[in-house]
Amino acid sequence: MKNGILCLVFLIPVAGFGQSTGALTLRKCIETALSNNITMKQTEATIASSKINLEQSKMNRYPNLNAAASQSINFGRSVNPYDNTVVANQQVNSNNLSLSSSLNVFSGFQNRNTIQQRQLNVKASEEDKMTTRNNIVLGVVEAFAGVLSNKAILKSSQAQFESTKAQIDRTEKLVQAGRLPSTNLFDLNAQLATEETNIVLAENNLEISKLSLAQWMQVDPSSVTDVEEPAITVGEADEKQAAEVYAVAEPNQPQIQAARTRVMSAEKGIEIAKSGYYPSLNFQAGLFTNYSSVAQKYVAGATLETPLLTPLPFLVQDLNGNSIPVVVNQVTNVGPGRTEDLNFGDQFSNNLRKGFSFNLNIPIFNNMQNRYAIESAKINRLNAQLQLDQQKNNLRQTIETAVTNEKAARKRLQAIEKQIKALEESFRSSEQRFNLGVMNPVDFLMAKNNLAKAQNDQARFRYDFFIRRALLDFYLGKELNFN
């Protein structure tokens, strides 16, 4: 329903507002705070880490490739790795070289679920960053409004001080003329001292609010000298019930989205744990070779131009069993052979062997590890769901409080504006009567103090309402148009 709710919207500053050198706009304060905030930088680092984990899980789908090399030196009696012969009293240098690759063919969809889980973790981290950003923005807005409120109170206190000084000047003349008693002047001087104290208190409160703003921005407090007051328009807006605001805010608040995303991530964790029940299939392939410093090869002799005849005597038996010596000449066409050391290249190709294998692992019993992993993942999922419910409950309570506070702030602001109009008329009348000597100083100062208090309350209520209205607009998804 329409209820004449005041709606504050920040516009570009009008002429005469905040044009002094060094004054900070609200947008500049927010940008500085977001740029300097350490928590924001931590969330960005968390996002970067989550993305690295995601990329690593994606790469796990591909085969690996590894090379290995070893160098061995043996003395005394050892085995020649080239031909497995025993070598005595020699130094044997040997190398083993390999190139291998393996691929996880199937592991119960573990890789797929891990990739999906880490994608959700990246999304949750990005939503956490938005939550942090929103908290910073709202904190800066509140601190900025505190500075504006205390500026207004200081300005009002200074105006009251100047008004009393002017009243003292008029009263001195009237006392000297004999139209007013001197006691009136004493009361006004006491009032002036009180208002001077009020100025000091207002200045202290302003410095404290500037310090709060500087701390949100994480800058040197001395750099916050002044802030620009944006132009504020007052109009009507629909009054919203808490349930209506919650219905709009709940799907869009990043802390809710992050908690909901973590519930989905925990569900993927259950699927990952269940993969332990599935068989796994792994493919492996490799190339292997080795080198030995004592490896040798036999080299046949050269062909002879004149064959050599080598007599070979042996005995044969006749039919009667008598041994008869016989000599046979063996013809040799090749000269004597020799051995040579094998070089690295020859050994690399001669010893090269290749192979591949498929390895199937079927889980039968592993000390209940899979079962307990699943139970633990289910508990994580329950905790994630409870965290989501808690975030929803916190949001609901925050919105209920925000709606109630906005209504109260609006009513206070409307009431104080009416009160100020009445007090201004009363003070003008009292001032005229006091100057004519027909009102005593106590009543005049009471009327003056009532107006001053109402003006200070108006400054506080005005910016308090801005905070409450801006908070509701934030939950309603409206853009806060800061200058």
Side-chain angles (χ1 to χ4, degrees):
M1 63 180 176
K2 295 283 186 179
N3 202 25
I5 300 178
L6 298 175
C7 179
L8 301 182
V9 180
F10 281 101
L11 304 175
I12 298 176
V14 296
F17 277 91
Q19 298 302 320
S20 59
T21 303
L24 297 170
T25 64
L26 181 54
R27 181 178 294 279
K28 179 63 176 177
C29 291
I30 291 174
E31 291 174 350
T32 303
L34 293 176
S35 175
N36 295 340
N37 189 269
I38 295 176
T39 305
M40 278 290 290
K41 296 177 181 179
Q42 289 175 328
T43 56
E44 291 171 355
T46 301
I47 292 173
S49 178
S50 298
K51 289 182 176 179
I52 291 174
N53 291 336
L54 173 59
E55 292 303 316
Q56 177 61 66
S57 62
K58 289 180 178 179
M59 293 304 297
N60 288 340
R61 297 177 297 180
Y62 301 104
N64 60 24
L65 182 63
N66 298 288
S70 66
Q71 170 74 39
S72 300
I73 301 177
N74 296 289
F75 302 91
R77 185 180 178 86
S78 59
V79 176
N80 180 3
Y82 180 76
D83 55 10
N84 294 325
T85 58
V86 176
V87 178
N89 299 323
Q90 278 188 272
Q91 175 180 324
V92 179
N93 299 331
S94 61
N95 299 97
N96 287 303
L97 306 174
S98 65
L99 185 67
S100 61
S101 177
S102 64
L103 172 66
N104 188 319
V105 180
F106 179 76
S107 58
F109 307 107
Q110 185 179 41
N111 283 346
R112 185 189 68 180
N113 289 325
T114 300
I115 291 172
Q116 293 175 352
Q117 184 186 52
R118 291 182 177 179
Q119 287 174 335
L120 292 171
N121 291 343
V122 171
K123 185 173 183 289
S125 298
E126 291 173 342
E127 289 158 350
D128 285 341
K129 178 182 176 181
M130 290 303 301
T131 300
T132 301
R133 182 186 184 280
N134 289 342
N135 292 337
I136 294 171
V137 170
L138 293 177
V140 172
V141 169
E142 185 171 0
F144 192 91
V147 175
L148 292 177
S149 176
N150 287 311
K151 275 184 63 177
I153 292 174
L154 176 59
K155 183 178 179 181
S156 174
S157 299
Q158 291 171 337
Q160 292 297 325
F161 179 80
E162 295 299 328
S163 174
T164 301
K165 282 182 63 177
Q167 187 63 47
I168 288 175
D169 292 339
R170 289 194 297 268
T171 302
E172 284 179 343
K173 295 176 182 179
L174 293 174
V175 169
Q176 291 173 359
R179 296 178 57 183
L180 291 177
S182 59
T183 56
N184 288 11
L185 191 58
F186 298 151
D187 292 334
L188 287 174
N189 284 325
Q191 176 68 19
L192 185 66
T194 299
E195 291 174 351
E196 188 173 7
T197 301
N198 291 338
I199 290 176
V200 173
L201 294 175
E203 288 174 341
N204 291 339
N205 290 334
L206 178 58
E207 290 304 313
I208 292 173
S209 61
K210 287 181 179 180
L211 175 62
S212 176
L213 179 59
Q215 290 174 340
W216 273 105
M217 297 168 62
Q218 296 189 6
V219 297
D220 186 350
S222 62
S223 64
V224 182
T225 56
D226 194 13
V227 297
E228 291 187 7
E229 180 173 356
I232 298 175
T233 60
V234 179
E236 292 186 351
D238 291 331
E239 180 179 345
K240 297 289 186 181
Q241 299 299 320
E244 296 179 84
V245 178
Y246 178 81
V248 174
E250 193 270 343
N252 301 316
Q253 287 300 301
Q255 67 271 26
I256 302 294
Q257 295 174 347
R260 186 175 288 116
T261 300
R262 287 191 168 91
V263 171
M264 293 187 288
S265 175
E267 290 173 347
K268 288 298 177 183
I270 296 175
E271 297 300 320
I272 293 172
K274 287 181 178 180
S275 66
Y277 282 132
Y278 289 88
S280 60
L281 181 63
N282 187 269
F283 172 77
Q284 292 181 327
L287 300 174
F288 309 91
T289 189
N290 62 286
Y291 165 80
S292 171
S293 63
V294 295
Q296 293 182 328
K297 66 178 180 178
Y298 176 79
V299 180
T303 302
L304 300 175
E305 295 181 358
T306 302
L308 295 178
L309 299 177
T310 303
L312 297 176
F314 61 94
L315 296 177
V316 296
Q317 291 183 341
D318 58 12
L319 295 177
N320 296 322
N322 298 317
S323 296
I324 302 173
V326 178
V327 177
V328 177
N329 292 322
Q330 180 180 358
V331 179
T332 304
N333 296 317
V334 180
R338 69 184 187 279
T339 59
E340 293 182 353
D341 293 337
L342 282 171
N343 60 36
F344 182 86
D346 290 338
Q347 291 192 51
F348 182 89
S349 59
N350 293 342
N351 297 337
L352 184 64
R353 60 189 186 277
K354 312 168 187 177
F356 66 89
S357 64
F358 287 93
N359 302 312
L360 179 64
N361 180 43
I362 302 175
I364 298 176
F365 180 75
N366 57 0
N367 300 323
M368 309 295 288
Q369 292 183 11
N370 289 336
R371 177 179 176 181
Y372 293 141
I374 292 173
E375 293 300 321
S376 179
K378 288 181 178 179
I379 293 174
N380 291 338
R381 199 269 181 201
L382 175 61
N383 287 333
Q385 181 62 52
L386 292 175
Q387 182 64 27
L388 172 60
D389 294 340
Q390 183 64 53
Q391 290 289 354
K392 289 181 178 179
N393 188 53
N394 291 344
L395 179 63
R396 183 180 292 104
Q397 292 177 352
T398 300
I399 289 176
E400 289 170 350
T401 302
V403 170
T404 302
N405 288 340
E406 189 272 342
K407 290 179 180 178
R410 169 172 47 86
K411 290 178 180 179
R412 285 199 303 266
L413 184 57
Q414 291 173 338
I416 199 68
E417 288 174 346
K418 293 178 181 179
Q419 184 183 10
I420 285 177
K421 290 181 181 179
L423 290 174
E424 286 175 343
E425 293 297 327
S426 175
F427 175 71
R428 277 194 293 268
S429 175
S430 298
E431 188 176 33
Q432 292 173 357
R433 294 167 62 193
F434 178 77
N435 291 336
L436 294 174
V438 295
M439 174 177 275
N440 62 63
V442 175
D443 292 337
F444 169 73
L445 293 177
M446 182 177 295
K448 188 176 188 299
N449 288 334
N450 287 338
L451 177 59
K453 181 180 181 303
Q455 289 173 336
N456 289 342
D457 287 342
Q458 182 190 35
R460 290 189 296 105
F461 295 165
R462 181 169 181 256
Y463 293 109
D464 180 64
F465 175 71
F466 153 65
I467 292 294
R468 309 306 174 188
R469 184 69 250 178
L471 185 60
L472 275 189
D473 287 342
F474 165 74
Y475 286 122
L476 288 170
K478 297 180 180 178
E479 183 179 0
L480 302 180
N481 296 314
F482 303 129
N483 60 309

